[in-house]
Amino acid sequence: MASASSSSMNLEDVPSVDLMTELLRRMKCSSKPDKRVILVGPPGSGKGTQSPIIKDEYCLCHLATGDMLRAAVAAKSPLGIKAKEAMDKGELVSDDLVVGIIDEALKKPSCQKGFILDGFPRTEVQAQKLDEMLEQRGVKVDKVLNFAIEDAILEERITGRWIHPSSGRTYHNKFAPPKVPGVDDVTGESLIQRKDDTAAVLKSRLEAFHKQTEPVIDYYNKKGIVANLPAEKPPQEVTADVKKALS
């Protein structure tokens, strides 16, 4: 569907079934309440599983700031050019720039009913700048979904993951073990662990995550818009909790 929305595409060339599908989707969406949602959670907490479900259910656009920055740079937009200058110097892209890129994205028809922000804001200052920008648009963040999960459970989830590199097949020591430990079921080749999935890397990522995001959660807690989700539950139950929090 993405191709149909690109400006270079002539609507006359879009198959009728695609146009009708998109029209029906928009009609269905028009009656949904606007929602502006932020997802917070450590790596492996299940945000990636829930975000497409939330996106479809509430007709929101999914804003992943890393992807958006890369897209802005590739498109050579004024903000993208500034972002590239910073990246080329090895500097962090400024908060104002990132908020500016989010502001740009919100003009798209797909963001009309609201958005899901993932991976931003990561600091209290970023949260304030985001609020200021939204305020100028006459809107605000409605809900912050905090995917709360104990580090020990995450460690078990993540450090148990093994991959067969050439096929991409994934296994898990506990939840989906291979027939023979350390070996791919189909080819009999060795499995590897991604370096991000080792206990040492995970520990430092989690420490950084907690240190960075606790002030952000506190900031939104004061506004009374945080919903803490027990993210160790099975995905379907987490989805039910998400819908309850957003209703």
Side-chain angles (χ1 to χ4, degrees), residues 151 155 196 198-210:
D151 287 1
E155 201 165 314
D196 277 2
T198 57
V201 172
L202 180 67
K203 194 169 165 16
S204 69
R205 281 178 79 190
L206 286 174
E207 274 170 16
F209 170 80
H210 292 308

Side-chain angles (χ1 to χ4, degrees), residues 5-145:
S5 63
S6 75
S7 52
S8 59
M9 185 89 168
N10 189 338
L11 286 179
E12 290 172 6
D13 298 333
V14 181
S16 300
V17 62
D18 292 348
L19 278 176
M20 291 306 290
T21 307
E22 177 58 15
L23 268 176
L24 287 169
R25 189 190 70 81
R26 289 196 191 191
M27 284 164 69
K28 192 184 97 212
C29 288
S30 64
S31 60
K32 303 241 170 166
D34 293 11
K35 296 244 182 270
R36 280 155 288 269
V37 182
I38 292 173
L39 306 186
V40 180
S45 60
K47 287 184 312 181
T49 306
Q50 300 300 327
S51 101
I53 299 172
I54 303 169
K55 175 182 179 290
D56 291 343
E57 175 73 18
Y58 299 100
C59 305
L60 310 176
C61 63
H62 181 246
L63 304 178
T65 44
D67 297 344
M68 290 160 69
L69 274 172
R70 283 186 285 277
V73 169
K76 297 191 167 61
S77 71
L79 290 171
I81 290 167
K82 280 189 184 165
K84 189 178 184 324
E85 282 169 11
M87 288 167 173
D88 288 347
K89 287 185 202 153
E91 295 168 0
L92 282 174
V93 178
S94 76
D95 294 345
D96 290 324
L97 253 176
V98 179
V99 170
I101 284 172
I102 295 170
D103 190 21
E104 280 288 287
L106 294 183
K107 295 174 182 156
K108 293 188 305 195
S110 58
C111 295
Q112 206 180 350
K113 298 303 283 182
F115 59 77
I116 301 166
L117 249 184
D118 187 357
F120 189 91
R122 290 191 173 186
T123 65
E124 193 173 336
V125 174
Q126 289 176 349
Q128 286 164 347
K129 287 184 188 271
L130 178 67
D131 275 352
E132 285 163 19
M133 180 271 282
L134 292 173
E135 207 173 299
Q136 286 175 343
R137 293 179 152 269
V139 296
K140 62 184 192 329
V141 174
D142 298 302
K143 250 320 170 235
V144 176
L145 300 179

Side-chain angles (χ1 to χ4, degrees), residues 220-237:
Y220 288 118
N221 254 329
K222 288 182 189 131
K223 295 178 179 287
I225 57 172
V226 176
N228 292 309
L229 306 171
E232 74 285 346
K233 289 186 186 173
Q236 294 87 335
E237 290 181 36

Side-chain angles (χ1 to χ4, degrees), residues 151-172:
D151 287 1
I153 297 174
L154 267 186
E155 201 165 314
E156 179 182 63
R157 265 190 195 183
I158 291 180
T159 57
R161 293 199 289 213
W162 290 84
I163 295 173
H164 177 242
S166 57
S167 70
R169 272 188 290 279
T170 56
Y171 298 90
H172 192 284

